[in-house]
Each structure stands twice: as C-alpha cells, then as structure tokens.
Amino acid sequence: MKRILAGLTAALLLWAQPAVAQSILRDAETEAMFNDMSRPLIIAAGLSPRNVRVVLINDDSINAFVAGGQTVYVHSGLLQAADNANQVQGVIAHELGHIADGHVVLQDAGTKPAMGISIVSMVLGLAAIAAGAGDAGIGILQAGKQAAMGKFLAFTRIQESSADAAGARYLNASGITGKGMISFFKKLQNQEYAYGVKNIDPYAQSHPLSGARIANLTHDLESAPSWNAKLDPALEIRFKRVKAKLLGFVSDPKTTLNVFPDQDQSVYAHYARAYAWHKSGYPQKADAEAAALIKADPHDPYFLEIQGQILLEAGKPVDALVPLREATRRSDNSPLIATTFGHALIATENKTNYPEAVTVLRGAIARDDQNPFAWFQLGTVYELTGDQPRALLASAETASMRGDSPTAAYTARGAMAGLSPNSSDWIRAQDIAMTAQNDIDENPKKFKRR
C-alpha cells in the first residue's frame, strides 16, 4: 500500500513539475537581447528587472516555462521556431504572468485536490480487489487516476488562461504590439492541426487549445493602441543574429550549411557558420568566417568575442588578447566576455598578465557570481600567484554552486584559516562553510560516506 501511494505521489508531482534537467546555454549577446526585450514587460508586470532573468535552455522543443523564483526558461527550439523577436516577447509576457500571479507557489492548490481524489479511489479500489472483485477494483483505480488527472489539468488550464490575459495586459501597457503573441499561437495551432486537432481532447491538455487562446486574446490585443505599434528594427536584427549563431552552435554543421550555404555572404550566414565550424573543430574555417564578421563591423563586441574565442581555443591565447580586451570594453564589461578574456590572460602563461586576470575576473564575478567557470579561472590565477586562501575560497564557491556541500565546507574553512578575520572574503568563506554544514547536517543520508 505504501509503495502504491508513493508511486502515485511521484506521478502527481511529475504532472506538476516542468522538466528542468536540460543544460543552460549562456551567451552574452543572447542574454543582453533577452534583457532589453523583456525589460518593459517586466516593469509592466510590477516586477523588478534586477530580479527577473530570462534563461536559454538547450532543448529543441517549442517551450518556455517558469519553475520557481523569478526566472523564465526559454527553449532554444522556441527561438528557432519564432519568426521575429515580437513573438518571443509574447511568450515572455505570458511567462511573466505566471510569475506575477504566483502560479508556481500556488501549484499545491492544484495538486492537493487531485491527490485527495486519487487516494480515496485507491483505497476503494484496493478494498474491492481484496474482496475478490479484481476487475471492479482495477476499474476504480483507473477511474480515480483519470479523475485526479482531470482535476489537475483543469487547474493548470485556468492558470494558463490567467497568464495569457496577464501577458496581454503587459504587452498593451508597455506599448508593444500583441501581434507576435497572436501569430505565435497561430503557429502552435497549425501544429495542432498537423497532429489532428479533431482527435485532441481539450480536457486532457495542460493548456487551452490554441484556437481558444486566440479567441480569448484577440479583442483585448487588437483594441489596444499598441496593436499597430511598429516592430523595433534594431531588436529584430539582433534577434536574427542570435537565431543564426544559435543554429550554428546547437545544430549539426550539415544542417547549418544547408540553411546558410557558402554562397550566402550575409552577416547572419557568417555568424552561423563561424559557430558551426568552431564547435566542430575546424578553426581555420571558423576564423575565416569571424574575419568576415570583423570586416563587416570591426568594433562589434560580439564579433570580436567569437574571433577571440576561436583564437584562444586554437591555442593562440596571445593573439586572442586584443579582440577579447576590446570585446570586454565595448560590451560594457559583460561578465561572460570578461571571463573569456581572463581565461586568455591566464592561458598566455605570462606572469605579467596574472594581475590583470585577477582584476578582470573579480570584476566579472562582482556582476555575475553564478558563473562557475569564472570562479574556476579566478581560483586558477590565485593558485598561480600563490594566494592559496583565495584559491580555496574560489573552489568553495564552485563547489557550493554544484551542490557539493562537503567540498564547499572543507575548502571554505581552509580559506578562513588563511584570510584576515572579518575581511569581506573571510566573511564570505564563513557564510559558505555555515550554509554547507547546515546542508550536511539536515541531509545526513545524502552526504553519507560510501
């Protein structure tokens, strides 16, 4: 009985939770675009742009979700499927509706009634089976499962409709046209038709069918003054660039070359092919594409970034310094680009470059402390310069982000032993050590020595 109840509980939790195991793709240009396109929507939602993040997930399905906190996760497949930046803004507006309305926090309100129906039906079904009415008992169990699922799906459809309405309000309030939201739902509707919409049970879906969503939203969006607002041409260019480089990075090079053959000499084609060749281990071809980008715009920070990255990973860190230094400066010290620059400074193996690497990497971490690669590089340069306590602190930060509490506690205590008491670094090491130890104490089985 306990096993069955545990299994049912797990099943309901799976219905309630989105998949969050996919890998995160971090790119300075993409994150800057997300920040700029979402900022007016975040403000319209009554949230702070400092607290809301839009994160790209490496998943080719057309999806976006929120999973707690104030983070919107967008699948790479959604970017590839979108025709323009405005469609992505419509999706982000919808997801902000989930955040502003507290839908993730309120999920218990949907799972608890469903769980109650399931447990009652399970008790009745098991009683029938025990009494010898096996078929009847199994029927009760199945009916209970379907009722529980129906209850939960009805709850999520209400949440989705609420988020649609909220997203429409945010678009209207921020002066952004809702045409992208409607056109993206029409794109999804076409997929439903392809799968046979007549065979889709609307009551067995976690979302309302796209046709219903379009009907519910059209009047509110079309009647708003922002409906006829023009698309931002600069944002659309940025979107096309991000979409091209994303294709080059996540797709097989053959796919990229089919979409952007050699005869295509557009900036988007050079961008896609540069990433495709770089990812697949053809540095000369990648460098040629990067050179074409630099020729088109010698001071574009993201073109300089890819040129520097190609040189660095081709074993030419000294040559990479010039483009990466300029890329860092022209991107307003983007933490991700600065981290690559710091890595290049270390990779030169020239001791005179190490102090600059420390400065660059500390600046990157000050603006983005959730970057394990930056912490690793900072720990490396501290080790090289003989600053063992801060090398240990960097290791503690990295272990803490990985959820490795034993390593985090051990290295943080080592850092404290060598740092000046009550200094900012010492206090940070103390915080990590205490948090890690609390995690170990509260989860002894998780960290039990094998």
Side-chain angles (χ1 to χ4, degrees), residues 136-342:
I138 292 172
I140 292 172
L141 289 173
Q142 287 296 112
K145 181 180 177 182
Q146 290 175 0
M149 176 69 88
K151 188 82 173 178
F152 177 73
L153 292 177
F155 175 78
T156 63
R157 286 195 300 274
I158 292 171
Q159 285 195 329
E160 295 301 329
S161 295
S162 172
D164 283 347
R169 291 197 305 273
Y170 306 154
L171 288 165
N172 293 341
S174 58
I176 297 172
T177 178
K179 290 179 180 178
M181 176 178 266
I182 294 297
S183 62
F184 198 76
F185 280 142
K186 288 181 178 178
K187 187 183 288 285
L188 297 179
Q189 187 179 41
N190 289 334
Q191 286 199 336
E192 292 172 1
Y193 287 145
Y195 284 107
V197 70
K198 293 181 180 179
N199 298 321
I200 296 177
D201 180 0
Y203 299 105
Q205 310 304 311
S206 61
H207 293 57
L209 292 180
S210 298
R213 302 174 85 171
I214 293 167
N216 291 336
L217 291 169
T218 297
H219 174 73
D220 289 341
L221 290 171
E222 287 186 348
S223 61
S226 60
W227 176 256
N228 290 316
K230 293 183 179 179
L231 301 182
D232 181 348
L235 180 59
E236 294 303 325
I237 290 172
R238 293 169 68 185
F239 172 74
K240 290 178 181 177
R241 281 176 44 156
V242 165
K243 189 173 177 178
K245 72 192 292 187
L246 179 62
L247 178 71
F249 185 77
V250 303
S251 299
D252 184 273
K254 291 181 180 178
T255 301
T256 303
L257 292 175
N258 283 333
V259 177
F260 294 106
D262 287 339
Q263 57 265 34
D264 186 343
Q265 293 297 300
S266 67
V267 165
Y268 311 118
H270 288 304
Y271 222 179
R273 292 196 297 262
Y275 275 87
W277 291 129
H278 176 56
K279 181 191 74 169
S280 54
Y282 291 89
Q284 291 182 332
K285 291 184 177 182
D287 191 53
E289 300 292 354
L293 293 171
I294 297 297
K295 184 178 179 180
D297 188 344
H299 303 297
D300 186 290
Y302 306 114
F303 293 169
L304 290 162
E305 178 195 20
I306 184 60
Q307 184 184 54
Q309 188 176 355
I310 290 167
L311 289 168
L312 172 61
E313 295 181 14
K316 301 176 181 179
V318 175
D319 295 338
L321 294 182
V322 171
L324 287 175
R325 181 178 281 110
E326 185 177 358
T328 301
R329 178 172 59 85
R330 290 187 178 276
S331 65
D332 191 26
N333 295 303
S334 161
L336 293 177
I337 297 178
T339 298
T340 305
F341 177 38

Side-chain angles (χ1 to χ4, degrees), residues 44 63 72 92-93 217 313 315 324 343 394 402 423 442:
N63 194 23
V72 175
I92 291 172
L217 291 169
E313 295 181 14
L324 287 175
H343 179 199
R402 289 200 313 263
S423 65
E442 292 172 3

Side-chain angles (χ1 to χ4, degrees), residues 393-410:
L393 176 56
S395 296
E397 293 278 7
T398 305
S400 179
M401 277 184 277
R402 289 200 313 263
D404 183 355
S405 292
T407 300
Y410 176 77

Side-chain angles (χ1 to χ4, degrees), residues 56-81:
L56 185 63
I57 296 289
N58 187 11
D59 190 308
D60 61 5
S61 61
I62 303 174
N63 194 23
F65 61 91
V66 294
Q70 297 189 29
T71 302
V72 175
Y73 296 92
V74 177
H75 285 200
S76 57
L78 189 146
L79 281 191
Q80 294 297 351

